[in-house]
Amino acid sequence: ETGVTQTPRHLVMGMTNKKSLKCEQHLGHNAMYWYKQSAKKPLELMFVYNFKEQTENNSVPSRFSPECPNSSHLFLHLHTLQPEDSALYLCASSETLTGTSGGAVETQYFGPGTRLLVL
Amino acid sequence: GENVEQHPSTLSVQEGDSAVIKCTYSDSASNYFPWYKQELGKRPQLIIDIRSNVGEKKDQRIAVTLNKTAKHFSLHITETQPEDSAVYFCAALAGGSNYKLTFGKGTLLTVNP
């Protein structure tokens, strides 16, 4: 289970801190995703990158700032978070975003997540 | 946008029994439906998926059925084992998108030995 890795696995931060989450995929994929998983809520897509270009920002507050320096690495920079931002943050990757609408979908592979607690 | 409802939220079965989890979706243009299994403290893993051009797909003890007219799809697990205990998520791909999955809230399946 080392295709998609995330660090750190656990993070506790204060509301005034700045921290970063890191995701790395070893699958040769070109699309990467950030999801938020909160208790009793569905997984929420936050950001999508395809070939290092951001293709989706799902109305995420600006206190979350993604960065994708290359197709293998994805970061989520955090600053001035709120307690309600406490959640499991999952990274995922897929081969690419292919074709036009209705075209082939590539399976998304998830990392183990970073459990974030904002105090 | 797409809305996915998943039921039940919790399901408890005896080892060897079958388990069925159902999902409904709202976007009639959705054409891809994956199911993920997430064990406690672990990552979601794809266990089976189905595309809208087929009505049923099987993989050993796991099967998924799709009813496009009614806009619902179901996960069937036969001969359940304790290691099947996990949270199961259904998802639907938004029509016109190649990546935007909308997930259900999940079903906690407990298989009692």
Side-chain angles (χ1 to χ4, degrees):
Chain A
E1 296 277 10
T2 59
V4 182
T5 58
Q6 290 186 242
T7 55
R9 295 293 310 277
H10 302 273
L11 179 62
V12 180
M13 59 187 290
M15 289 189 285
T16 58
N17 292 158
K18 289 185 179 181
K19 297 286 184 182
S20 295
L21 310 184
K22 178 182 176 182
C23 175
E24 184 173 359
Q25 59 90 6
H26 310 272
L27 301 170
H29 291 168
N30 292 298
M32 297 188 77
Y33 310 73
W34 279 117
Y35 283 89
K36 177 182 179 182
Q37 187 176 31
S38 305
K40 301 189 185 301
K41 293 179 70 176
L43 272 78
E44 300 172 58
L45 179 65
M46 300 174 70
F47 302 102
V48 181
Y49 279 81
N50 191 40
F51 290 96
K52 303 187 298 179
E53 298 297 321
Q54 186 178 126
T55 57
E56 180 81 21
N57 177 337
N58 198 23
S59 302
V60 180
S62 59
R63 57 186 184 270
F64 295 91
S65 175
E67 178 189 2
C68 188
N70 55 62
S71 293
S72 299
H73 294 86
L74 184 65
F75 295 89
L76 187 63
H77 303 299
L78 316 172
H79 63 97
T80 60
L81 293 193
Q82 304 298 311
E84 59 264 29
D85 296 322
S86 299
L88 180 68
Y89 288 85
L90 290 161
C91 173
S93 71
S94 64
E95 285 195 32
T96 188
L97 310 181
T98 59
T100 59
S101 60
V105 164
E106 305 296 345
T107 300
Q108 295 182 25
Y109 297 86
F110 285 87
T114 295
R115 176 71 62 184
L116 174 66
L117 177 62
V118 181
L119 301 177
Chain B
E2 176 72 276
N3 183 47
V4 175
E5 298 287 339
Q6 182 172 348
H7 299 280
S9 56
T10 60
L11 179 60
S12 182
V13 300
Q14 289 299 122
E15 183 176 359
D17 288 351
S18 295
V20 180
I21 302 170
K22 299 181 179 181
C23 289
T24 60
Y25 61 98
S26 60
D27 185 352
S28 58
S30 292
N31 58 10
Y32 173 68
F33 308 90
W35 285 89
Y36 284 84
K37 173 184 179 183
Q38 187 175 26
E39 297 177 52
L40 185 63
K42 296 191 175 181
R43 71 190 74 204
Q45 288 193 297
L46 180 76
I47 55 171
I48 197 167
D49 57 15
I50 191 168
R51 300 183 190 276
S52 58
N53 57 348
V54 298
E56 184 175 4
K57 183 177 178 180
K58 288 184 179 179
D59 182 4
Q60 299 182 1
R61 297 186 296 107
I62 294 173
V64 57
T65 58
L66 171 65
N67 183 327
K68 286 180 60 180
T69 303
K71 290 189 284 188
H72 67 70
F73 56 111
S74 300
L75 178 71
H76 304 254
I77 306 174
T78 58
E79 300 173 26
T80 54
Q81 301 166 3
E83 50 266 38
D84 294 330
S85 297
V87 177
Y88 291 81
F89 295 95
C90 64
L93 185 70
S97 173
N98 288 331
Y99 60 85
K100 190 175 290 188
L101 290 174
T102 299
F103 286 82
K105 289 185 177 181
T107 297
L108 174 61
L109 173 65
T110 303
V111 180
N112 302 300

